[in-house]
Amino acid sequence: MSVHFDVSKISFFGLDDWSVAVCAWRGCCLEVFARAEHSVADCLRTLSGAGVPLGKEALNPFGGNRLKALRTCIAAQEFGGHGKAALKRIEEWDRVYEARAPLAHAEIRATEHGISVNHITFDGKAETRYPLKTYTRIEMLEILANIEAAQRSLHYQLGQIKALALKIKPNPGSSPG
């Protein structure tokens, strides 16, 4: 199930309970990340079905590794001029993707003017505490808009790759993984 929020309907700047709006905003951001992961998975599935060689990481449970496998695969094929464009969109998505972990795992608190983000990671040996970040309500909307724009561009460009994959013969000498 996919839910698309209209930020104007969650009283982002109204007098309603701001903490509820913060939760809805966070959910919107995570929904966009999920849509991008589905676009990548769908493209990998189409490439595989078209006989384009994929590396073993194409089935990795971690979305970042699947994206790397897709990047490697696209770089090894021609796809007309769309391959270079897709690689550029993947690079843009990589920059936006860095915001996913804090949005998904950090402690986010509603503040009077926006949010505070307290992010901690664990690598199996140690804990890393990142500096507390704060965002205004306007910055929050900008973050969501940037994530949505990058996801949409990635989705559309991967659509071009899928269409071309069904029409062209794979480069048999390529070894993407």
Side-chain angles (χ1 to χ4, degrees):
M1 181 171 148
S2 184
V3 178
H4 304 272
F5 289 97
D6 180 349
V7 175
S8 67
K9 292 181 181 174
I10 59 174
S11 299
F12 210 77
F13 293 100
L15 300 175
D16 293 352
D17 187 354
W18 174 235
S19 63
V20 173
V22 169
C23 290
W25 169 82
R26 186 182 202 176
C28 288
C29 293
L30 294 175
E31 169 62 25
V32 177
F33 285 112
R35 280 188 254 152
E37 287 194 18
H38 280 269
S39 295
V40 169
D42 189 42
C43 189
L44 287 167
R45 190 177 311 107
T46 300
L47 290 169
S48 177
V52 177
L54 301 174
K56 65 180 178 177
E57 292 299 307
L59 297 175
N60 189 292
F62 179 58
N65 288 348
R66 288 190 305 275
L67 186 64
K68 288 177 188 173
L70 180 60
R71 176 190 296 118
T72 301
C73 175
I74 290 172
Q77 299 295 319
E78 293 296 320
F79 296 113
H82 293 284
K84 287 183 182 180
L87 293 173
K88 183 177 178 186
R89 297 297 174 260
I90 290 171
E91 183 180 317
E92 291 167 0
W93 180 250
D94 270 341
R95 283 193 294 274
V96 171
Y97 191 75
E98 292 174 7
R100 190 200 66 76
L103 284 170
H105 304 293
E107 176 183 55
I108 295 180
R109 293 184 184 251
T111 65
E112 183 178 345
H113 300 289
I115 58 170
S116 66
V117 179
N118 184 16
H119 186 56
I120 302 169
T121 61
F122 303 91
D123 67 3
K125 296 178 185 175
E127 168 185 291
T128 302
R129 291 183 172 269
Y130 293 91
L132 185 71
K133 289 187 177 185
T134 60
Y135 298 101
T136 66
R137 294 177 190 209
I138 296 295
E139 289 171 326
M140 292 167 65
L141 289 174
E142 290 170 348
I143 289 167
L144 178 57
N146 289 338
I147 295 168
E148 285 180 318
Q151 179 272 327
R152 200 171 16 258
S153 293
L154 178 67
H155 176 76
Y156 292 149
Q157 196 60 49
L158 293 182
Q160 295 293 324
I161 297 298
K162 290 183 331 186
L164 286 168
L166 297 173
K167 293 179 183 177
I168 64 173
K169 290 174 74 174
N171 179 357
S174 67
S175 61

